[in-house]
């Protein structure tokens, strides 16, 4: 019998929700059920699958309020939860519009006159998705929706830290007969995720490098593809010619959105020496204007730290930095308020790469700033990391920003803004270094990951003997 897991409320600190992970045998049975459903789902064709997802969208719109309320309880935040639900709904429309053109087969002649080639792609039968706690709904469905439209069945294991949204979402799924046979969400912790890998044909994982490595090893033993979106320590480079008002506003947003609990957060800032003081003074002034969403959820913009373990990590990074000489200009500590953990936007100077706050993923609203003497030093500092997810560059010259960006070892670079991959998903990119593994989650490639290519080589002449019989030495 699986042991029940108590779930903590991030605003109150109380354990007010319980989930019960499925025993391995039951999980395996659920996977077999989805496999059977996938056969019919694939035969529906793309138009049938689009119709089912559009019906699902209508069901979600009808239960939108309940879904938002569940996410608010999961994360302790309001506006971001509303945005998360609406972005999820928009992604259904986006993929329904794109899918028909991405699923077409091709036929053509080849370099050998009597052989024609037909190519088509077939879906992996069952996709497993293991998603994190920082954007519970969005990151559990970012891979799910294109996989479904590709013709796959999908089983999702969200984080045990933020599982409340699953119940209202499953209610919407169960109203669509075709969809409930190929899509299921299961609650559980790490062991449930490990068990899930044993029964799927492809795994998508979003989370830490440590767990991602275990997922990759398990997938390799199963000989199945693994697409991993892991941690980040995103740098921002601010050149002397940058618009400081723009740069400080963009970097502030990129550092504190979702209280810094985002893989695309700006976590280290490198500023040209000549503008360093002016930059950090502006940033401090703007950071002071942001308030905690406490005592009410409408009181401010900065929500609680969702995961209690993460609050301890943030505090450890702050203490480590101060002990090594860092100067804090605002914020600077994790506070317990009303039972929840909170961290105000924190600007730090006198930092260096001996400090955890400059090298390890902090996942909080922390803005450590270092000056650089020249562009070469800025590039070296930005690349001095095991991570390679994304970055930001601020410069009056777009050409120079692009030139610098070519030398930064990350997959996505925002020019004169920060975190643009949060709002624009068309740019295909890969995660560099320990930030991930596998194909792009962005652009059309995100759909094609879920299909395997087949080639039909068709002999078109009437010779009965194989062509090589007629060849002479």
């Amino acid at each position: 019998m699986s042991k029940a897991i108590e779930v903590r409320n991030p605003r109150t600190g109380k354990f007010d929700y319980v989930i019960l992970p499925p025993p391995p045998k039951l999980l395996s049975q659920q996977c077999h059920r989805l496999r059977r459903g996938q056969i019919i789902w694939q035969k529906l064709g793309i138009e049938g699958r689009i119709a089912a997802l559009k019906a699902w969208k209508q069901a979600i719109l009808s239960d939108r309020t309940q879904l938002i309320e569940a996410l608010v309880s999961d994360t302790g935040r309001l506006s971001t939860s509303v945005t998360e639900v609406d972005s999820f709904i928009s992604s259904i429309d986006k993929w329904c519009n794109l899918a028909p053109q991405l699923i077409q087969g091709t036929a053509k002649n080849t370099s050998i006159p009597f052989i024609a080639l037909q190519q088509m792609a077939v879906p992996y039968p069952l996709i497993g998705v293991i998603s994190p706690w920082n954007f519970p709904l969005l990151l559990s469905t970012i891979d799910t929706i294109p996989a479904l439209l590709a013709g796959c069945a999908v089983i999702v294991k969200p984080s045990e830290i933020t599982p409340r949204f699953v119940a209202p979402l499953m209610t919407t799924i169960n109203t669509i007969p075709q969809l409930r046979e190929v899509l299921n969400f299961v609650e559980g912790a790490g062991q449930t995720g490990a068990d899930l890998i044993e029964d799927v044909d492809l795994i998508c994982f979003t989370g830490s490098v440590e767990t991602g490595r275990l997922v990759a090893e398990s997938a390799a033993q199963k000989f199945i593809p693994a697409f991993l979106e892991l941690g980040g320590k995103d740098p921002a480079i601010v050149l002397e010619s940058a618009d400081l008002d723009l740069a400080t506003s963009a970097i502030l947003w990129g550092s504190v959105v979702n209280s810094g609990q985002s893989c695309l957060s700006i976590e280290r800032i490198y500023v040209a020496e000549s503008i360093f003081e002016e930059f950090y003074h502006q940033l401090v002034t703007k950071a002071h204007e942001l308030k905690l969403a406490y005592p009410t959820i409408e009181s401010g913009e900065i929500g609680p730290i969702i995961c209690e373990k993460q609050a301890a990590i943030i505090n450890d990074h702050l203490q480590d930095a101060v002990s090594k000489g860092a100067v804090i200009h605002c914020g600077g500590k994790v506070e317990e308020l009303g039972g929840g953990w909170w961290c105000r936007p924190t600007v730090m100077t006198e930092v260096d790469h001996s400090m955890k706050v400059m090298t390890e993923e902090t996942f909080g609203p922390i803005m450590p700033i270092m000056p650089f003497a020249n562009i070469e030093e800025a590039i070296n500092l930005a690349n001095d990391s095991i991570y390679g997810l994304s970055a930001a560059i601020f410069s009056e010259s777009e050409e120079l920003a692009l030139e610098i960006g070519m030398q930064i070892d990350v997959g996505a670079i925002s020019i004169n803004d920060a975190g643009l991959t949060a709002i624009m998903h068309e740019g295909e990119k890969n995660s560099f270094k320990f930030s991930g593994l596998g194909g792009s989650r962005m652009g059309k490639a995100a759909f094609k990951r879920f299909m395997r290519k087949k080639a039909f080589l068709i002999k078109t002449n009437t010779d009965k003997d194989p062509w090589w019989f007629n060849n002479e030495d």
Side-chain angles (χ1 to χ4, degrees):
M1 182 71 177
S2 297
K3 185 179 180 181
I5 298 173
E6 293 186 315
V7 183
R8 176 182 170 276
N9 186 306
R11 291 191 67 86
T12 66
K14 295 179 180 178
F15 290 85
D16 58 7
Y17 195 81
V18 176
I19 61 173
L20 187 64
K25 185 177 181 179
L26 177 58
L27 180 61
S28 185
Q29 290 172 347
Q30 291 175 343
C31 289
H32 286 304
R33 178 183 70 83
L34 294 172
R35 286 184 182 279
R36 292 193 297 270
Q38 186 272 334
I39 297 170
I40 299 171
W41 180 250
Q42 184 179 352
K43 289 179 179 178
L44 272 180
I46 186 60
E47 294 304 326
R49 296 194 291 273
I50 287 173
L53 262 71
K54 286 187 173 180
W56 186 29
K57 174 192 168 183
Q58 293 306 312
I60 294 162
L61 287 170
S62 297
D63 285 353
R64 178 176 174 274
T65 301
Q66 290 89 332
L67 197 52
I68 291 171
E69 289 173 353
L71 281 175
V72 168
S73 296
D74 271 333
T75 64
R77 68 198 183 199
L78 179 57
S79 61
T80 305
S81 295
V82 173
T83 300
E84 192 173 350
V85 172
D86 291 343
S87 296
F88 161 54
I89 293 169
S90 295
S91 70
I92 295 177
D93 284 334
K94 178 191 79 172
W95 284 115
C96 284
N97 291 332
L98 283 174
Q101 60 184 284
L102 300 176
I103 211 163
Q104 298 297 327
T106 61
K108 63 179 182 179
N109 295 322
T110 69
S111 58
I112 300 176
F114 55 85
I115 299 178
L117 173 65
Q118 289 188 18
Q119 288 187 293
M120 60 186 64
V122 295
Y124 286 91
L126 181 59
I127 306 300
V129 174
I130 301 174
S131 58
W133 48 262
N134 56 326
F135 290 96
L137 174 65
L138 198 60
L139 292 179
S140 66
T141 55
I142 192 171
D143 298 309
T144 298
I145 295 168
L148 287 168
L149 286 165
C152 313
V154 183
I155 184 164
V156 185
K157 203 291 290 182
S159 172
E160 69 278 14
I161 295 169
T162 50
R164 296 171 181 84
F165 78 97
V166 171
L169 189 63
M170 282 302 303
T171 297
T172 65
I173 292 167
N174 288 331
T175 64
I176 315 300
Q178 302 100 322
L179 194 60
R180 68 186 178 208
E181 298 302 319
V182 290
L183 177 59
N184 193 27
F185 283 67
V186 293
E187 297 171 331
Q191 186 56 54
T192 302
D195 293 339
L196 184 67
I197 297 172
E198 295 299 311
D199 278 307
V200 299
D201 303 301
L202 181 154
I203 187 73
C204 296
F205 172 81
T206 307
S208 70
V209 173
E210 180 183 10
T211 306
R213 189 189 296 274
L214 297 175
V215 170
E217 290 171 354
S218 296
Q221 290 175 355
K222 284 279 295 176
F223 227 66
I224 63 172
F227 295 105
L228 312 178
E229 187 86 1
L230 308 178
K233 191 71 181 174
D234 290 2
I237 296 175
V238 184
L239 300 183
E240 187 176 29
S241 65
D243 180 329
L244 288 191
D245 185 45
L246 169 66
T248 50
S249 293
I251 288 172
L252 179 63
W253 178 86
S255 300
V256 307
V257 64
N258 196 31
S259 306
Q261 300 166 112
S262 171
C263 59
L264 56 78
S265 288
I266 296 297
E267 292 213 1
R268 49 199 175 107
I269 306 162
Y270 305 107
V271 181
E273 286 178 346
S274 60
I275 59 169
F276 181 78
E277 284 204 22
E278 185 179 359
F279 175 90
Y280 87 73
H281 283 302
Q282 278 198 32
L283 189 61
V284 170
T285 299
K286 292 179 179 181
H288 270 302
E289 296 173 359
L290 299 178
K291 308 298 180 185
L292 299 180
Y294 182 86
T296 72
I297 203 166
E298 295 90 2
S299 296
E301 304 85 1
I302 307 299
I305 306 302
I306 298 168
C307 175
E308 191 168 23
K309 289 181 180 178
Q310 199 64 44
I313 291 171
I314 295 168
N315 211 37
D316 176 56
H317 286 196
L318 291 170
Q319 291 176 2
D320 173 74
V322 171
S323 72
K324 294 175 179 175
V327 176
I328 292 176
H329 300 275
C330 58
K333 63 179 179 179
V334 176
E335 308 171 57
E336 184 179 1
L337 299 170
W341 295 107
W342 305 78
C343 185
R344 300 175 194 273
T346 298
V347 178
M348 311 171 69
T349 58
E350 302 298 326
V351 294
D352 60 49
H353 282 215
S354 72
M355 301 173 184
K356 295 177 182 179
V357 77
M358 294 301 288
T359 57
E360 299 179 13
E361 188 172 37
T362 307
F363 230 56
I366 314 299
M367 292 161 278
I369 316 170
M370 280 183 68
F372 63 82
N374 52 57
I375 289 174
E376 182 181 6
E377 183 184 12
I379 293 169
N380 289 338
L381 288 168
N383 285 336
D384 183 23
S385 175
I386 66 168
Y387 298 105
L389 191 62
S390 50
I393 301 172
F394 294 83
S395 171
E396 184 180 48
S397 168
E398 181 181 313
E399 182 181 0
L400 178 57
L402 290 170
E403 181 183 330
I404 294 171
M406 286 298 295
Q407 300 173 70
I408 305 297
D409 295 331
V410 301
I413 298 174
S414 299
I415 305 296
N416 288 324
D417 211 329
L420 291 180
T421 53
I423 59 174
M424 203 283 285
H425 298 165
E426 297 166 31
E428 295 180 8
K429 57 99 178 176
N430 295 112
S431 299
F432 288 28
K433 302 180 182 178
F434 283 90
S435 283
L437 183 70
S440 176
R441 182 182 262 177
M442 304 293 182
K444 296 177 181 179
F447 183 92
K448 295 178 180 180
R449 292 178 300 161
F450 301 113
M451 307 189 81
R452 290 175 285 190
K453 293 179 180 178
K454 278 191 172 183
F456 294 88
L457 312 171
I458 305 167
K459 181 180 178 182
T460 58
N461 68 11
T462 57
D463 290 348
K464 294 182 180 179
D465 293 327
W467 66 272
W468 57 82
F469 279 11
N470 298 322
N471 282 357
E472 295 180 0
D473 292 336

